[in-house]
């Protein structure tokens, strides 16, 4: 836990110090990722076990922010059309872009494996 | 009786207890529905907490006395996402170039199309700030959205809906697009439907699941860099 909080703290400090447009915890995640790639700790390391435990119940942590929607129900109702439109269009556009680009780029490089 | 209620409102214990109990209810519903993608524990828990708050006349601020104790762990949990990314990193070498092109471009398309459609359909400025990060995994979407001045509560719900779209419709849409490469399917699902899409991808095929998880991590990174940029450009 100390490592996780430490990386977050360093992330927050870097964001403040350099006015980075990215949230502190995200910088913390990148720092921890780099540290893991360099040190390659064994699977039974405390840090990995704590992280797994925390991520197993990651969903629990969204509940308090999510409950806030109750406060904004009115504005959600007023903007139902732009919300629904943007959710569906943007979801489809993103999905198709990634899938088609990957297929296109792998075809040009090595021959794709015969699959499914 | 009123004194008792006032006391309940003022202690953090209430928010912590109700959140944990509602989460338990959500997990039970998920189990009873045999992991149906529409039975999302978070959405169920939000409804349960909302109902309890309504019944006891407790405001969101009062609830947050306890709720914010739980939400505090979102920060370290976001940092912990580095661990699954680290475990998937060997897949990066397999498909490095296609991935490093497709994921940032896909994240850009998701962010820009969300912002533009909200604008075109007459949504508010706050809504454009909020919808931008909805393809990233929920903890990152919340922090990115709050960072650019959007509504963190709203984006939490948007990301869950985006995840459910992927879990329910993802494989069908990919079949319609004639995408059969498991790696491409996984990368696409993870890019728009993060963890919820990844659990569906894992259910379809282990390769698809692994690439979906990797894609979710890289998309989260790309989204956190791109959202402020796109908002600066078109906002």
């Amino acid at each position: 836990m100390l490592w996780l909080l430490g990386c977050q703290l360093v992330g927050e400090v870097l964001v403040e110090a350099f006015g980075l447009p990215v949230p502190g915890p995200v910088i913390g995640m990148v720092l921890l990722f780099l540290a893991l790639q360099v040190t390659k700790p064994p699977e039974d390391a405390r840090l990995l076990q704590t992280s797994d435990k925390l991520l197993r119940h990651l969903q629990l942590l969204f509940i308090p922010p999510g409950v806030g929607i109750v406060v904004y129900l009115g504005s959600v109702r007023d903007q139902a059309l732009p919300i629904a439109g943007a959710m569906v269009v943007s979801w489809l556009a993103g999905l198709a872009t990634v899938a088609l680009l990957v297929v296109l780029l792998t075809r040009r490089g090595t021959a794709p494996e015969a699959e499914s | 009786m009123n004194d008792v209620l006032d006391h309940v409102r003022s202690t953090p214990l209430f928010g912590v207890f109700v959140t944990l109990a509602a989460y338990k209810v959500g997990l039970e519903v998920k189990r009873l529905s045999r992991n149906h993608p529409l039975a999302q524990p978070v959405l169920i828990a939000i409804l349960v907490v909302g109902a309890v708050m309504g019944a006891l006349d407790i405001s969101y601020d009062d609830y947050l006395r306890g709720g914010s104790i739980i939400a505090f762990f979102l920060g370290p949990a976001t940092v912990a996402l580095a661990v699954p990314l680290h475990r998937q990193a060997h897949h990066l070498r397999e498909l490095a170039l296609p991935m490093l092109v497709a994921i940032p471009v896909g994240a850009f398309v998701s962010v820009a199309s969300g912002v533009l459609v909200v604008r075109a359909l007459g949504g508010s400025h706050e809504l454009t700030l909020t919808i931008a990060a909805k393809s990233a995994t929920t903890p990152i979407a919340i922090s990115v959205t709050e960072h650019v001045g959007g509504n963190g509560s709203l984006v939490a719900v948007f990301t869950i809906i985006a995840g459910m779209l992927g879990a329910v419709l993802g494989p069908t849409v990919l079949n319609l697009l004639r995408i059969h490469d498991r790696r491409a399917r996984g990368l696409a699902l993870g890019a728009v439907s993060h963890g919820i899409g990844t659990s569906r991808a894992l259910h379809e095929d282990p390769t698809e699941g692994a690439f979906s998880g990797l894609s979710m991590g890289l998309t989260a990174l790309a989204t956190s860099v791109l959202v402020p940029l796109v908002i600066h450009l078109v906002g």
Side-chain angles (χ1 to χ4, degrees), chain B residues 130-227:
Chain B
T130 304
I131 208 133
K134 64 109 184 58
S135 294
T137 180
T138 316
I140 293 189
I142 293 172
S143 58
V144 170
T145 301
E146 286 175 349
H147 209 78
V148 296
N151 186 326
S153 298
L154 215 50
V155 81
V157 174
F158 290 168
T159 57
I160 295 165
I161 293 171
M164 289 162 74
L165 279 173
V168 177
L169 298 175
T172 316
V173 173
L174 288 167
N175 288 342
L176 286 175
L177 290 169
R178 291 163 196 266
I179 307 293
H180 300 299
D181 186 327
R182 290 291 178 194
R183 299 167 304 179
R185 291 172 69 96
L187 289 173
L189 264 180
V192 288
S193 297
H194 53 91
I196 302 175
T198 299
S199 64
R200 175 69 201 259
L202 265 174
H203 188 73
E204 302 271 304
D205 179 88
T207 314
E208 198 170 317
F211 277 96
S212 182
L214 184 57
S215 171
M216 156 180 124
L218 296 175
T219 298
L221 271 180
T223 304
S224 50
V225 175
L226 286 171
V227 165

Side-chain angles (χ1 to χ4, degrees), chain A residues 21 25 52 67 80:
Chain A
D52 286 341
V67 170

Side-chain angles (χ1 to χ4, degrees), chain A residues 43 57 64-65 79 90-91, chain B residues 23 60 87 110 124 134 153 193:
Chain A
E43 270 303 307
H57 292 288
Q79 306 195 67
S90 153
W91 179 80
Chain B
Y23 179 56
Y60 185 52
R87 291 202 184 109
S110 296
S124 68
K134 64 109 184 58
S153 298
S193 297

Side-chain angles (χ1 to χ4, degrees), chain B residues 53-169:
Chain B
M53 282 164 63
L56 297 179
D57 191 23
I58 285 166
S59 72
Y60 185 52
D61 284 338
D62 284 335
Y63 163 74
L64 273 187
R65 268 187 247 271
S68 59
I69 295 176
I70 290 175
F72 168 79
F73 289 95
L74 265 177
T78 305
V79 177
L81 287 171
V83 171
L85 201 57
H86 165 70
R87 291 202 184 109
Q88 303 292 342
H90 60 279
H91 286 298
L92 249 176
R93 268 158 241 143
E94 244 177 86
L95 216 60
L97 182 74
M99 236 188 265
L100 294 180
V101 175
I103 287 174
V105 173
F108 177 78
V109 168
S110 296
V111 174
S113 61
V115 168
L116 292 176
V117 172
V118 165
R119 274 254 209 97
L121 295 177
S124 68
H125 181 61
E126 196 200 9
L127 187 60
T128 58
L129 297 179
T130 304
I131 208 133
K134 64 109 184 58
S135 294
T137 180
T138 316
I140 293 189
I142 293 172
S143 58
V144 170
T145 301
E146 286 175 349
H147 209 78
V148 296
N151 186 326
S153 298
L154 215 50
V155 81
V157 174
F158 290 168
T159 57
I160 295 165
I161 293 171
M164 289 162 74
L165 279 173
V168 177
L169 298 175

Side-chain angles (χ1 to χ4, degrees), chain A:
Chain A
M1 197 65 193
L2 209 56
W3 273 93
L4 297 177
L5 289 171
C7 285
Q8 185 188 353
L9 190 63
V10 173
E12 308 268 9
V13 169
L14 289 175
V15 167
E16 275 304 309
F18 298 101
L20 301 177
V22 178
V26 176
I27 303 285
M29 175 180 84
V30 174
L31 293 174
L32 182 62
F33 175 73
L34 295 176
L36 289 171
Q37 287 287 308
V38 173
T39 59
K40 300 203 187 306
E43 270 303 307
D44 61 352
R46 276 287 264 295
L47 167 65
L48 298 190
Q49 294 195 346
T50 310
S51 299
D52 286 341
K53 265 186 216 137
L54 200 55
L55 291 179
R56 199 169 308 142
H57 292 288
L58 182 58
Q59 295 205 325
L60 166 68
L61 313 181
F62 313 149
I63 297 171
V67 170
I69 190 132
V70 176
V71 182
Y72 307 105
L73 267 185
S75 79
V76 171
R77 217 173 293 137
D78 293 342
Q79 306 195 67
L81 179 70
I83 291 174
M87 287 299 301
V88 173
V89 171
S90 153
W91 179 80
L92 270 177
L95 184 79
T97 305
V98 175
L100 296 172
L101 264 180
V102 171
V103 168
L104 201 77
L105 290 166
T106 46
R107 215 168 267 164
R108 206 195 291 168
T110 52
E113 295 164 44
E115 267 177 283
S116 76

